[in-house]
Amino acid sequence: MEPNQLNLFSEVKPTPIRRTEGLLMSGDALLKWKAQILHYQQRVRESKPPEQTALFDITPNRFDPDAIDPFTLPLQSMAFYRMPTDAGSAAIYFVIDNAMPLLLYVGETRRSGKRWKGEHGCKQYLDSYHSLHHHYGLQRSVSIAFWWDAPTDRRARQELELNLILKWRSPFNKENWVRWGQPFG
């Protein structure tokens, strides 16, 4: 006996979509992508933040994102977490490609010495970034910088991190994928 129910879907099974195993962008596209980010971040560095005038003396906000320039912080190797130090403080950290220079990623941590030891999405992006540069023979010099005066309160630290991500539009942070795309993910 035939069922009286109509079938809204065909019996044909869809073909699974395959991810390409190859590189996601050409050398020219990579250079153009980096140039756009460089242009934006240079404008941010060169522009002065608006000054708020007040009738009374106000204690300056030491967690002001406009007071932090990641490109002036001391740089460390990306293998910093393997070094025998007791760097366990709260921090805001910046992954920078000094060859151009580009701020690639902004992050926050309460335990800086342990943040990168396990899984971290940025590590995967960096592997792809390095591979693509190597493939095209392009120079890169990726390192990390820490801003140690970060708030110990998690919410305050995350708010500062978000403000820095939005200010610098760091391309490896998911908040900026709509603007720069996700070529390394």
Side-chain angles (χ1 to χ4, degrees), residues 77-151:
S77 161
M78 289 304 296
F80 72 93
Y81 61 93
R82 294 183 183 133
M83 296 177 192
T85 99
D86 190 23
S89 309
I92 301 289
Y93 59 93
F94 305 91
V95 177
I96 299 170
D97 183 347
N98 296 294
M100 197 156 235
L102 295 177
L103 175 58
L104 299 172
Y105 185 81
V106 177
E108 65 83 23
T109 181
R110 182 178 59 93
R111 299 173 68 190
S112 55
K114 295 189 178 193
R115 178 66 179 110
W116 281 69
K117 283 187 180 180
E119 288 293 315
H120 195 295
C122 187
K123 284 175 159 179
Q124 296 168 351
Y125 296 129
L126 285 173
D127 285 345
S128 297
Y129 185 79
H130 282 292
S131 295
L132 203 57
H133 281 73
H134 178 73
H135 179 78
Y136 294 120
L138 299 173
Q139 185 181 15
R140 83 260 179 225
S141 176
V142 178
S143 51
I144 193 165
F146 290 91
W147 186 72
W148 297 107
D149 201 22

Side-chain angles (χ1 to χ4, degrees), residues 31-44 71 97 100-103 180:
L31 291 172
K32 183 178 177 186
W33 180 82
K34 289 174 65 172
Q36 290 172 337
I37 297 165
L38 175 68
H39 178 72
Y40 174 80
Q41 290 180 351
Q42 282 181 332
R43 281 195 338 233
V44 169
F71 298 100
D97 183 347
M100 197 156 235
L102 295 177
L103 175 58
W180 303 121

Side-chain angles (χ1 to χ4, degrees), residues 7 9 32 42-43 46-47 52 66 73 79 93 99 104 116 129 140 160 173:
N7 188 354
F9 305 99
K32 183 178 177 186
Q42 282 181 332
R43 281 195 338 233
E46 293 167 0
S47 66
Q52 179 74 30
D66 291 326
L73 298 173
Y93 59 93
L104 299 172
W116 281 69
Y129 185 79
R140 83 260 179 225
L160 178 59
N173 289 98

